[in-house]
Amino acid sequence: MPSPTGARHLIGAGTFINPLLKVITTVAILGAVYYFVIRPILETTEEAIDKGARIAREAQAEARERSAQIQADIARNQIDSAITSFQGMGWREAIDQLRSCKREAGSDARALDRCRTLAHRLQTAVRPQRTQALSYAQTLAAQGRSADERRVAECLKQAGLKPGPNRRCAELARDLVFNP
């Protein structure tokens, strides 16, 4: 149908195809940019991140292992120090207990820490009471009271490595010395 002005409307390159070609060209360019530029960058970045994360995990595992080894070495040294100290006073039972604990623990840091805790308890809670009881027992022996000295020695033998019973032995020894 002719237009009222007499001009014909044509469908052509200028009306529909030209914008369509522009869209297709833009999409093709963007696709090529993604495929040849962005995609390789993303893959390289992802690989770098994965490699960095793997290295970080390995470093953390190594640090944990080294930390456990250091803690185990510290515990071993503290146990050995306690054993040496107990050797000086001839406390065979404590020495044997700590050596056995250390041997059974092997290289297990947690088990060695339990042995270290035992050594600390023996040094701080048991040894002072035991030393006091032994000192009073020597005083009793010097006074010629061998029966009382034997009572203290028997008390210490039965007390073993327990803090409470050793405290009671120290109290018994003190009472025997000062309240004959």
Side-chain angles (χ1 to χ4, degrees):
M1 175 168 171
S3 76
T5 60
R8 296 180 82 181
H9 292 282
L10 297 174
I11 298 179
T15 58
F16 177 70
I17 295 177
N18 194 23
L20 179 64
L21 287 175
K22 287 180 182 179
V23 168
I24 291 172
T25 303
T26 301
V27 169
I29 290 171
L30 290 176
V33 166
Y34 171 78
Y35 189 77
F36 292 110
V37 177
I38 295 174
R39 185 174 165 206
I41 291 172
L42 291 176
E43 288 174 354
T44 303
T45 303
E46 185 177 333
E47 289 172 9
I49 290 171
D50 289 346
K51 183 178 180 181
R54 185 178 63 251
I55 290 170
R57 283 191 303 272
E58 290 170 359
Q60 287 174 342
E62 186 178 327
R64 279 192 301 273
E65 183 179 318
R66 185 67 184 136
S67 175
Q69 182 62 40
I70 289 169
Q71 290 174 347
D73 290 344
I74 290 169
R76 268 191 218 93
N77 288 337
Q78 290 174 339
I79 295 164
D80 290 342
S81 176
I83 289 171
T84 300
S85 173
F86 297 149
Q87 285 172 333
M89 61 184 285
W91 194 7
R92 190 88 232 142
E93 185 179 10
I95 295 166
D96 291 345
Q97 183 69 31
L98 286 175
R99 282 183 176 159
S100 174
C101 185
K102 182 180 166 189
R103 183 177 49 255
E104 290 171 13
S107 61
D108 181 355
R110 288 186 182 187
L112 284 166
D113 192 54
R114 285 190 295 272
C115 297
R116 185 198 54 78
T117 300
L118 170 63
H120 180 73
R121 182 176 55 85
L122 290 173
Q123 287 177 316
T124 59
V126 179
R127 181 181 182 171
Q129 304 299 326
R130 180 178 173 79
T131 301
Q132 184 180 29
L134 289 170
S135 175
Y136 286 140
Q138 288 175 347
T139 300
L140 291 168
Q143 293 175 353
R145 298 171 56 194
S146 58
D148 288 338
E149 177 192 12
R150 283 192 299 276
R151 277 182 65 192
V152 173
E154 184 59 32
C155 181
L156 288 170
K157 183 178 177 183
Q158 290 178 3
L161 302 176
K162 298 176 186 143
N166 273 277
R167 185 179 59 251
R168 286 190 288 281
C169 293
E171 291 168 359
L172 168 67
R174 184 180 58 245
D175 288 345
L176 290 171
V177 168
F178 294 111
N179 301 315

